[in-house]
Amino acid sequence: MTSMVVLGLSIATVLLLLGAFLATLRQDRKGRTAEPPVEVAPLETPLPAPVGVVGYAGSDYADPRTLKVGDGIEVHGSPARVLGAMYISWQGQEWTEFLLRDTARRRQWLSVETRQGDPPHLEVFMWTEVPTQGMVPAKSMIVMEGVEFFPIERGTAAFRSEGDTGLPERGLLDFADYRASDGRLLSFERIQGGSWTASYANPLAPGSIAVVSRAP
């Protein structure tokens, strides 16, 4: 009889201990579940790149694309006037060549072209004529004044002229562009099947051109 009582108490004790353990386990799980979840900061979405032309968007520099025939300008501080312009198109590309005359009455062409890209960029060049000595543009490498130039682009473009250019109002322009290994550019051009002329390009950085006076 005594053994049965002891056995009953032992079983009861085990049951009580087991119940206490299960209650603690449930409480522990409940406690972890109740903890607030850790907030993960969302990934920052990068701002889109500004739309515009590199070097000129949102700046105080004069935009060469706004030049007009008759404008008075300065190039690196030297006065010049826009005598005329050629508006050229070729295979979807468009660019403008402005004929300038400085105070020494020298004439030079200034080309302005927006190149597509990501982002688009503006290419502005001052062209200095060089004697061709009867040379014609080849489809392979050519040597000009001891420098090797390699072909990059050539074709026949349509143009419209304005102002004092000495050119027809409309016509066709053949061109062939070359680049040297050091980045120098050389271009051959001829108007309406005439004689070829050649020029070196001098790139102009933003701020090189200032508009002094606007044409009426």
Side-chain angles (χ1 to χ4, degrees), residues 6 25 36 139 186:
V6 172
L25 182 61
K139 293 184 179 180
L186 170 69

Side-chain angles (χ1 to χ4, degrees), residues 83-130:
L83 296 181
M86 291 178 62
Y87 305 98
I88 305 170
S89 61
W90 175 71
Q91 294 186 358
Q93 301 180 39
E94 295 183 351
W95 68 94
T96 305
E97 296 184 3
F98 297 100
L99 179 60
L100 309 181
R101 183 180 64 196
D102 62 16
T103 54
R105 305 191 70 80
R106 292 175 300 187
R107 297 190 176 200
Q108 283 183 291
W109 288 94
L110 173 75
S111 66
V112 180
E113 180 178 4
T114 301
R115 287 284 188 172
Q116 298 304 314
D118 187 17
H121 61 283
L122 198 61
E123 291 185 346
V124 183
F125 293 101
M126 182 72 80
W127 296 87
T128 302
E129 189 171 341
V130 294

Side-chain angles (χ1 to χ4, degrees), residues 144-145 147-149 178-186 200-201:
M144 177 70 78
E145 298 183 338
V147 179
E148 296 181 345
F149 289 88
Y178 299 79
R179 180 182 286 115
S181 58
D182 60 3
R184 279 185 284 181
L185 296 178
L186 170 69
Y200 290 132

